[in-house]
Amino acid sequence: MQLIILWDIDHTLIDNAGVSKEIYAAAFSALAGRPPAGPARTEGRTDRLIMREMFLREGLPEPDWAAVEAALALAGQERLEELRRRGTALPGVRDALKAVSVQDGWVSSILTGNIAANARVKLSAFDLDPLLDLSVGAYGADALQRPGLVAVARERARLLRGVRSDVPVVLVGDTPRDVESALTTGSGIVAVASGIHSAEELAAAGASVVLPDLSDTADLLRILESFAAH
């Protein structure tokens, strides 16, 4: 049974301890020449959308995306050690990723609003990157809205790993935007209440499977196997 599993990063796999907001603020400051008046609004948005909204809110023209992406990548790289010091991998994540990575026929990668460079920073800070097939992931530069990332990851899995177009996709994430991305693209969803959204909020958004976190590896594998069998 084949399956594509796409994990969110922030508050699903790791707690970034506020470093993400600092990355956005630093990138904005580098481009605008002054700090933003308030923090970035994240909650499952892509980096393209987060930065666009920051400039709009500040009444400034949005810079060229290449400049924005470069500023974000630099800010992220500069905060690797800070992330390692303050942040953490969430409960059960390492065991879950290991267990999924050895399943025959499964592709385990990332679907995140972070640009690829910062996704690697966040995963490598806690040595999670070797457990994921990052080349087939979808990242914050690949689409403006999160649901658009699903097709990107599916196409990369087809081109790079020969995965058929009818193989099921399951998203694992902690926000209503993760749930929406799954529902609007015909993907499965495993919602985890390890971020700011409660289990009730995630269920109300349409998630049929909601876990408190990823600490029960056996239960998670059983759930994923049920998606693969569909």
Side-chain angles (χ1 to χ4, degrees):
M1 296 183 295
Q2 288 191 301
L3 186 66
I4 300 170
I5 305 100
L6 300 172
W7 310 79
D8 175 52
I9 297 178
D10 294 296
H11 310 296
T12 298
L13 299 181
I14 74 162
D15 179 352
N16 66 61
V19 173
S20 269
K21 296 286 178 73
E22 294 166 16
I23 290 171
Y24 295 119
F28 178 90
S29 299
L31 294 162
R34 62 170 175 83
R41 295 172 62 237
T42 53
E43 296 177 20
R45 293 174 175 83
T46 65
D47 279 1
R48 278 183 177 269
L49 193 57
I50 290 165
M51 295 300 290
R52 173 175 290 182
E53 288 185 349
M54 284 186 81
F55 280 95
L56 185 65
R57 190 179 66 200
E58 300 282 339
L60 296 173
E62 182 184 5
D64 177 74
W65 169 247
V68 176
E69 186 171 16
L72 284 169
L74 179 60
Q77 189 59 47
E78 288 175 343
R79 284 160 182 78
L80 171 60
E81 292 306 321
E82 186 71 4
L83 178 62
R84 189 172 280 147
R85 184 177 69 82
R86 285 163 46 192
T88 186
L90 287 169
V93 162
R94 196 175 311 277
D95 288 341
L97 293 180
K98 283 181 181 176
V100 170
S101 71
V102 298
Q103 298 298 310
D104 189 40
W106 289 13
V107 173
S108 179
S109 192
I110 290 295
L111 189 144
T112 177
N114 291 280
I115 60 169
N118 287 350
R120 288 182 181 276
V121 164
K122 290 179 177 183
L123 294 167
S124 67
F126 310 106
D127 300 316
L128 299 176
D129 47 321
L131 301 174
L132 292 151
D133 188 354
L134 296 181
S135 60
V136 302
Y139 304 94
D142 293 325
L144 184 64
Q145 301 289 349
R146 197 176 189 93
L149 297 176
V150 177
V152 172
R154 184 181 276 286
E155 179 64 5
R156 286 176 178 159
R158 185 186 71 81
L159 290 173
L160 297 174
R161 301 292 175 261
V163 177
R164 299 189 319 271
S165 59
D166 61 345
V167 167
V169 173
V170 179
L171 309 187
V172 184
D174 67 287
T175 73
R177 279 187 171 80
D178 294 298
V179 179
E180 176 200 12
S181 298
L183 296 179
T184 58
T185 60
S187 306
I189 178 69
V190 176
V192 285
S194 47
I196 65 170
H197 298 283
S198 68
E200 291 75 20
E201 285 179 284
L202 295 168
S208 57
V209 177
V210 183
L211 302 176
D213 54 33
L214 296 172
S215 58
D216 190 336
T217 303
D219 188 42
L220 177 64
L221 282 179
R222 179 187 59 75
I223 292 165
L224 293 174
E225 285 166 357
S226 72
F227 284 113
H230 287 169

